[in-house]
Amino acid sequence: MTDAADGPARRRGRNETEEERADRMWTELIQEVRVAQMGVQILFGFLLTVVFQPKYDDLSDTDQTIYLITVVLGAVTTGALIGPVSLHRLVSGRRVKPQAVRWASRLTILGLVLLLATTACSLLLILRVATDDGFVPYLVAGVVFWYLLCWFAIPLWTRYRHTSR
């Protein structure tokens, strides 16, 4: 089908009801959350063991503070990324899936931001312990920039660039 003024007509989107769209988006969201959950759970598990290592007592007060902040960040990140599962379970069958998908999406974005902070703090602590060099904050800032680019800037640019108005 062609339109003389616009050239070939292109169909955008899917022919689905709001409920069908919510079901599809929920399935996609849960797959995404599984990836993030796995990463944070492994990181958090390793973080929990650090305090029981003999070297922990040798850490400076600053490094112990960074560690404690990192553990708390890991805990709240885990909560945010498991939140969509709890949300779905508690509202399942209540005919509010579109709203549940929106809230689960918000929790997932929050979880990704918190995961970025947890990872950055973990990297900061590890590099501070591994080396005395003053380049550590710059290296961590570079990694944070990379995560921001990969996790947020490119997706947001793609969304802006390729979303029809």
Side-chain angles (χ1 to χ4, degrees):
M1 166 166 47
T2 59
D3 182 72
D6 299 328
R10 293 187 310 176
R11 185 173 166 204
R12 304 277 292 182
R14 295 186 166 116
N15 186 20
E16 55 190 6
T17 66
E18 182 182 19
E19 289 297 320
E20 290 170 335
R21 183 172 189 262
D23 287 340
R24 178 182 53 80
M25 290 179 69
W26 180 259
T27 301
E28 293 171 358
L29 180 66
I30 286 303
Q31 292 302 322
E32 296 161 2
V33 167
R34 283 185 180 138
V35 171
Q37 281 178 345
M38 180 65 71
V40 74
Q41 288 171 342
I42 290 169
L43 178 58
F44 188 53
F46 281 119
L47 285 170
L48 292 176
T49 66
V50 170
V51 74
F52 299 106
Q53 301 302 314
K55 187 164 181 156
Y56 179 79
D57 292 330
D58 297 336
L59 293 177
S60 69
D61 289 343
T62 300
D63 289 338
Q64 287 185 4
T65 299
I66 293 170
Y67 170 74
L68 293 174
I69 290 168
T70 306
V71 168
V72 171
L73 281 170
V76 297
T77 303
T78 300
L81 291 174
I82 292 176
V85 175
S86 176
L87 175 68
H88 181 263
R89 184 54 25 226
L90 292 173
V91 302
S92 183
R94 305 283 180 179
R95 300 183 188 269
V96 294
K97 188 168 267 181
Q99 296 84 356
V101 168
R102 280 193 292 278
W103 276 104
S105 182
R106 291 172 185 152
L107 282 170
T108 303
I109 293 295
L110 175 62
L112 290 174
V113 170
L114 291 168
L115 180 57
L116 172 62
T118 305
T119 304
C121 286
S122 298
L123 185 60
L124 178 64
L125 179 62
I126 290 166
L127 293 176
R128 282 178 54 94
V129 171
T131 182
D132 296 336
D133 291 335
F135 70 88
V136 168
Y138 301 106
L139 184 56
V140 172
V143 171
V144 168
F145 176 77
W146 177 249
Y147 280 21
L148 289 170
L149 182 68
C150 293
W151 292 5
F152 300 104
I154 292 172
L156 287 171
W157 176 83
T158 302
R159 178 180 172 173
Y160 171 78
R161 176 75 171 90
H162 298 288
T163 300
S164 60
R165 299 197 196 307

